[in-house]
Amino acid sequence: MSRTRTVALPKDLYQRAFVESFKKLDPRVMMKNPVMFVVEIGFFITLLLTFVPNLFGGASDPFYNGVVSLILFVTILFANFAEALAEGRGKAQAESLKKTKQDTQAKKVGKDGRVQVVSSTELRKGDLVIVEAGELIPSDGEIVEGVASVDESAITGESAPVIKEAGGDFSSVTGGTRVVSDRIRVRVTTDPGESFLDRMISLVEGAKRQKTPNEIALNTLLVSLTLIFLIVCTTLLPIANYVHAAIPVATLIALLVCLIPTTIGGLLSAIGIAGMDRVTQFNVIAMSGKAVEASGDINTIILDKTGTITHGNRMAAEFVTVGNTKSTELNRVAAQSSVHDETPEGRSVVELAKKQGLAPAELELPGSEGVEFRAETRMSGTNLANGVIIRKGAVDAIKKYVAEQGGNIPADLDEKANRIATAGGTPLAVVEGNTILGLIYLKDTVKPGMRERFEELRRMGIRTVMCTGDNPLTAATIAREAGVDDFVAEAKPEDKIALIRKEQAAGKLVAMTGDGTNDAPALAQADVGLAMNTGTVAAKEAANMVDLDSDPTKIIEVVAIGKQLLMTRGALTTFSIANDVAKYFAIIPAMFMLAIPQMSALNIMGLATPQSAILSALIFNAIIIPILIPLAMKGVKYTPMSATKLLSRNLVIYGLGGIIVPFVGIKLIDLILSGLNLI
């Protein structure tokens, strides 16, 4: 199961965020958020009017100007507080990671082979270091010699050590992790400041987060709306003078602030930072906010079969005889073919033979020699001391081997092998000398709940494709059992790239998972590439996300988080714009009621006085920001459904709700103000 990284928030986080809120009042910082920058300018103008009431000619109420100025100041602080709080959470995570990063001593191997102890900060890409049991790995690298058990809990939070070895897909090691046993030689793959841990720290620090394309587009829309309403409010002054309706400058500023999308403007940065933070809490490091957003728009997910959809440990489930072979004879030879095979698969063959009554003495083979599996031959086995050769392997490989040895192929071999493949298993043929005795039925079971998870993705409108090196019969059975939409059998690395490009050519966004060097091209080609932390450096560099738990199925959760981010931003934008409708009915009638009594017909909320109406709308505009901060940080709850249903639901909740809530809120504030006789 996937695990969420939970970082305890410091008790003084809110206090620090409050202090940061004041620091962000610097106009040079505020300019990065044009909507709130306009509010800040309005604050300075109303503050001047408080002390110089006739600054722009005509008389104005200093007390009223001061109240407007105070509310605007609080509005800016609330918006800054939302962003500072989101950044503070990221910085808290960064601090916990910085504790992991420390200057360690490294045993560097010189060109002459001599070992020299140096600081880890002196290591450069290409250097060789030796790390022994109990020592910290000084920098990111790849094991070039040896096998070791490595404690990665400092990075992943997982207490169980993992086995790392030279060659293959489990050779990558991360600086700051500890070797628990044995001794390894590591080639450094990064320069100081460029390690995986360094990148993690910089990525989780919200202050260094770059805005995503969608966020930039929304920000452009907000700026455009702000400019439009600024022009509208500016032209209201000459219009009011023409109809002999005196409108105080503070009231015009209050109208502008209420009309521009201040709610989403104040929360936009917090939503993006919190979205990245949620991915990090899920133990996934996103290399950019763009990757998180892209995951929310994914149309197709490409998944490997072994270890992702299935458990990955193929176990012997049955021995199937062919020809005239007796079951006891097949049991013996199958077990003897696996005596030297220390893989889970090999051990399961021996265990099954024992369960079926094989005598322990049959497994004592003095002088025998084990033959490891090789990709070229696709066979493994045992050479007995008496010269007898025993092999097990892929059916077609064994058939070719037997033909070369002058043996015969049993008539029922293919039929029984196909039956095993059709059932979702993998058939291994067993041969002694040049005689095929039968088949080992290896079964790899689908992980529990996978069908339900793929059904969930289907409801999201996402197509799932299983890629596997298995034969088409086995692939079809597993695909049917797991419930994926499509599958590609006997897939090679280039087939995965071709599939991704085909989907992208059709205008779809594609996600995939991988851990090996051969997966790197496909991970780079995919719109969202999730690499396993246990995988190779090439895979992690090619991907735009890294899963610290190395759980390939986590791509499903990543997609949900991406959709939640997009939903949260869309929902709060809808709510913010819908808010303005209620504010129109509060402020506009209040501005003109004295000069144009007929405008009172629009005062459908029955607000007490023009000043009370304006201040009530302004106060609501300020307090709605902190009320929505928890929603911006946590995100809108995502329920898998079609895009049409999702849009309809959000329009009802956040569109209609965004209209109703301000009517209620403004009226309540007006009742309080009029009841206290403050205005």
Side-chain angles (χ1 to χ4, degrees):
M1 291 293 292
S2 300
R3 218 173 13 81
T4 304
R5 173 192 288 268
T6 54
V7 178
L9 296 180
K11 293 180 180 179
D12 62 343
L13 177 62
Y14 293 97
Q15 189 176 18
R16 289 205 309 242
F18 182 71
V19 173
E20 284 295 318
S21 302
F22 284 90
K23 292 181 180 179
K24 289 177 178 290
L25 290 172
D26 184 340
R28 292 170 297 181
V29 176
M30 294 298 297
M31 284 180 68
K32 297 176 183 178
N33 187 341
V35 176
M36 299 313 299
F37 182 57
V38 169
V39 179
E40 187 173 44
I41 293 174
F43 158 69
F44 284 124
I45 294 174
T46 52
L47 183 64
L48 282 173
L49 287 171
T50 303
F51 299 101
V52 189
N54 58 352
L55 179 65
F56 298 104
S60 61
D61 184 352
F63 177 74
Y64 173 71
N65 294 339
V67 172
V68 171
S69 179
L70 177 63
I71 297 171
L72 294 182
F73 181 71
V74 172
T75 303
I76 301 166
L77 275 186
F78 282 155
N80 288 349
F81 181 77
E83 184 174 7
L85 193 62
E87 288 177 356
R89 265 203 333 190
K91 289 174 181 176
Q93 289 179 318
E95 287 301 320
S96 69
L97 291 170
K98 285 175 181 176
K99 291 177 183 177
T100 302
K101 181 177 171 59
Q102 52 183 290
D103 184 13
T104 59
Q105 298 298 302
K107 297 176 181 176
K108 180 181 175 183
V109 181
K111 294 181 179 179
D112 56 358
R114 297 176 60 184
V115 177
Q116 179 185 4
V117 178
V118 299
S119 169
S120 60
T121 56
E122 298 179 32
L123 295 176
R124 296 294 183 272
K125 189 183 296 184
D127 288 345
L128 288 175
V129 295
I130 293 173
V131 190
E132 299 181 338
E135 296 177 349
L136 287 173
I137 296 173
S139 182
D140 292 0
E142 286 189 312
I143 300 175
V144 295
E145 182 183 310
V147 179
S149 178
V150 179
D151 177 8
E152 296 187 322
S153 59
I155 304 295
T156 67
E158 183 61 59
S159 58
V162 295
I163 302 298
K164 298 282 189 172
E165 58 185 337
D169 295 340
F170 296 92
S171 60
S172 172
V173 290
T174 306
T177 58
R178 187 179 299 275
V179 173
V180 178
S181 66
D182 302 294
R183 179 178 186 268
I184 52 176
R185 186 182 292 240
V186 177
R187 178 182 289 113
V188 176
T189 55
T190 60
D191 289 325
E194 299 175 359
S195 70
F196 182 66
L197 198 57
D198 288 317
R199 283 188 293 164
M200 283 175 64
I201 292 168
S202 64
L203 285 166
V204 299
E205 287 184 319
K208 297 181 181 179
R209 185 187 66 89
Q210 293 183 340
K211 290 185 178 180
T212 63
N214 283 350
E215 197 173 346
I216 292 171
L218 179 56
N219 203 51
T220 303
L221 173 63
L222 299 183
V223 171
S224 301
L225 289 174
T226 302
L227 284 173
I228 291 170
F229 286 122
L230 182 61
I231 294 170
V232 169
C233 291
T234 303
T235 55
L236 275 177
L237 190 60
I239 292 173
N241 291 334
Y242 180 77
V243 297
H244 306 292
I247 300 179
V249 173
T251 298
L252 280 175
I253 292 173
L255 173 64
L256 174 62
V257 170
C258 286
L259 292 184
I260 64 177
T262 50
T263 304
I264 187 62
L267 295 173
L268 187 58
S269 293
I271 293 168
I273 295 168
M276 290 281 288
D277 179 56
R278 280 194 296 277
V279 175
T280 306
Q281 286 183 37
F282 217 78
N283 250 16
V284 173
I285 298 299
M287 300 307 174
S288 68
K290 184 179 179 181
V292 181
E293 284 195 353
S295 65
D297 288 326
I298 287 299
N299 305 108
T300 305
I301 294 181
I302 298 174
L303 298 143
D304 189 27
K305 175 183 78 72
T306 306
T308 303
I309 296 174
T310 63
H311 284 290
N313 294 327
R314 300 185 302 177
M315 300 297 182
E318 184 184 353
F319 296 136
V320 180
T321 59
V322 295
N324 298 320
T325 305
K326 294 180 180 180
S327 59
T328 53
E329 186 179 5
L330 175 58
N331 289 358
R332 175 186 61 81
V333 177
Q336 290 178 348
S337 72
S338 304
V339 165
H340 297 282
D341 187 350
E342 293 300 322
T343 65
E345 177 185 299
R347 291 195 294 269
S348 73
V349 172
V350 175
E351 288 301 317
L352 179 60
K354 288 180 179 178
K355 287 179 182 177
Q356 296 190 358
L358 183 69
E362 297 286 1
L363 297 174
E364 296 176 4
L365 305 174
S368 65
E369 179 188 7
V371 177
E372 293 184 358
F373 175 86
R374 291 170 55 204
E376 293 84 358
T377 62
R378 292 195 293 159
M379 294 187 297
S380 63
T382 305
N383 295 335
L384 302 182
N386 59 7
V388 175
I389 295 176
I390 298 174
R391 294 288 186 269
K392 65 176 181 182
V395 175
D396 57 340
I398 293 293
K399 285 167 65 177
K400 181 181 178 182
Y401 170 78
V402 169
E404 291 173 352
Q405 299 298 317
N408 296 319
I409 309 298
D412 57 348
L413 177 65
D414 287 337
E415 184 267 326
K416 290 185 176 180
N418 287 338
R419 192 192 312 161
I420 292 172
T422 304
T426 302
L428 291 185
V430 178
V431 60
E432 184 178 38
N434 63 357
T435 303
I436 297 177
L437 304 179
L439 299 161
I440 301 172
Y441 178 0
L442 296 178
K443 191 172 184 181
D444 187 5
T445 57
V446 174
K447 291 180 178 179
M450 290 306 296
R451 174 174 285 277
E452 290 75 15
R453 300 189 84 182
F454 290 136
E455 181 59 38
E456 183 179 321
L457 286 170
R458 201 168 291 113
R459 290 197 298 272
M460 294 181 191
I462 297 173
R463 179 169 169 264
T464 52
V465 181
M466 180 185 78
C467 271
T468 176
D470 285 341
N471 63 70
L473 285 173
T474 301
T477 302
I478 294 294
R480 187 166 53 252
E481 186 179 344
V484 295
D485 297 310
D486 200 358
F487 69 91
V488 177
E490 298 177 342
K492 298 182 287 295
E494 52 268 30
D495 296 329
K496 293 181 181 180
I497 297 177
L499 176 60
I500 293 171
R501 287 175 177 167
K502 179 182 176 182
E503 293 289 319
Q504 290 172 333
K508 298 176 181 177
L509 294 182
V510 183
M512 80 158 286
T513 62
D515 59 3
T517 301
N518 61 343
D519 290 325
L523 287 168
Q525 180 67 40
D527 299 285
V528 176
L530 179 65
M532 303 299 101
N533 191 42
T534 54
T536 61
V537 171
K540 287 191 282 189
E541 288 182 348
N544 48 25
M545 289 189 182
V546 177
D547 176 22
L548 301 181
D549 295 330
S550 300
D551 176 6
T553 63
K554 199 180 285 184
I555 187 70
I556 299 172
E557 278 81 10
V558 169
V559 167
I561 292 171
K563 286 187 176 295
Q564 186 186 38
L565 170 62
L566 296 176
M567 275 181 53
T568 303
R569 185 180 296 151
L572 292 183
T573 301
T574 303
F575 185 87
S576 177
I577 294 174
N579 267 209
D580 293 342
V581 176
K583 295 170 192 172
Y584 299 155
F585 286 95
I587 291 189
I588 293 178
M591 290 173 60
F592 295 98
M593 271 194 299
L594 294 178
I596 310 174
Q598 292 84 353
M599 290 288 288
S600 59
L602 294 178
N603 184 21
I604 59 177
M605 285 187 275
L607 302 178
T609 65
Q611 284 188 328
S612 172
I614 293 167
L615 293 180
S616 296
L618 204 57
I619 291 171
F620 175 84
N621 191 65
I623 64 175
I624 197 64
I625 294 176
I627 289 173
L628 291 176
I629 287 176
L631 184 61
M633 300 285 280
K634 187 178 180 181
V636 173
K637 184 180 179 181
Y638 175 68
T639 304
M641 61 178 70
S642 68
T644 304
K645 288 184 178 179
L646 204 57
L647 178 61
S648 301
R649 189 191 72 169
N650 285 344
L651 283 175
V652 171
I653 296 175
Y654 298 100
L656 186 59
I659 294 174
I660 295 172
V661 170
F663 274 97
V664 177
I666 291 171
K667 180 60 179 177
L668 287 174
I669 296 171
D670 177 72
L671 290 173
I672 294 171
L673 292 178
S674 58
L676 295 175
N677 294 317
L678 294 177
I679 296 296

